[in-house]
Amino acid sequence: MGSPLLLNNYIGIPYLDKGRGWEGCDCFGILQLWMYHERGVELPDYLEVYTSASDRHSVADAIEENKIGWTPVQQPEFGDALLFRVLGSPMHVGVKLHGNDFLHAFQNCDSCVERLDSLTWSRRLVGAYRWVQ
């Protein structure tokens, strides 16, 4: 797996619909990139199961149908996946960091770290999941 990358390496990656690499990521892409480089875990890319990150129903359906390998956790820990509701649908993911911080990529915004207790995200958290497969 190599040495862990610094968090700063994940900040500022351009948003790219269905992106899965350093040149650009959507929200699942940043989770997949982080899991591979920090945990040595190769997550499925799920590219074929949703049309576009902007199609919230397609993404919400893809998340619901592809929870195999993910276990819900009550107390999220560093590295767990966080699921958020956006426009009423559970369709956005991020990576739990230390404290109340999480890493994510959001449409029209480069990847960044935000706070779970912020006005934007505090009421949108649906749950936390740990990859166990």
Side-chain angles (χ1 to χ4, degrees):
M1 168 171 66
S3 61
L5 296 171
L6 298 173
L7 178 60
N8 286 344
N9 290 345
Y10 298 98
I11 297 172
I13 297 172
Y15 181 85
L16 178 64
D17 189 25
K18 292 186 148 187
R20 296 293 185 265
W22 297 109
E23 67 284 347
C25 289
D26 62 12
C27 66
F28 189 79
I30 197 77
L31 172 65
Q32 185 184 42
L33 197 63
W34 191 93
M35 290 292 284
Y36 179 74
H37 289 285
E38 299 303 317
R39 297 272 168 96
V41 173
E42 289 190 53
L43 296 175
D45 63 26
Y46 301 124
L47 290 172
E48 71 285 348
V49 297
Y50 67 98
T51 56
S52 165
S54 62
D55 180 351
R56 71 177 194 242
H57 298 296
S58 168
V59 173
D61 290 345
I63 288 171
E64 186 59 37
E65 293 168 9
N66 291 283
K67 288 187 176 176
I68 296 171
W70 296 97
T71 297
V73 293
Q74 293 299 315
Q75 297 295 319
E77 296 176 0
F78 183 83
D80 287 341
L82 303 173
L83 178 61
F84 297 92
R85 186 176 297 106
V86 175
L87 298 173
S89 298
M91 60 168 283
H92 183 63
V93 297
V95 180
K96 171 75 167 77
L97 301 174
H98 294 293
N100 277 322
D101 293 339
F102 72 102
L103 170 71
H104 71 127
F106 202 67
Q107 199 166 11
N108 301 319
C109 185
D110 293 348
S111 61
C112 61
V113 173
E114 292 198 64
R115 305 247 331 146
L116 286 167
D117 56 359
S118 71
L119 288 175
T120 303
W121 298 105
S122 63
R123 289 186 241 143
R124 294 181 180 195
L125 184 63
V126 174
Y129 297 85
R130 189 165 297 143
W131 182 254
V132 294
Q133 191 172 24

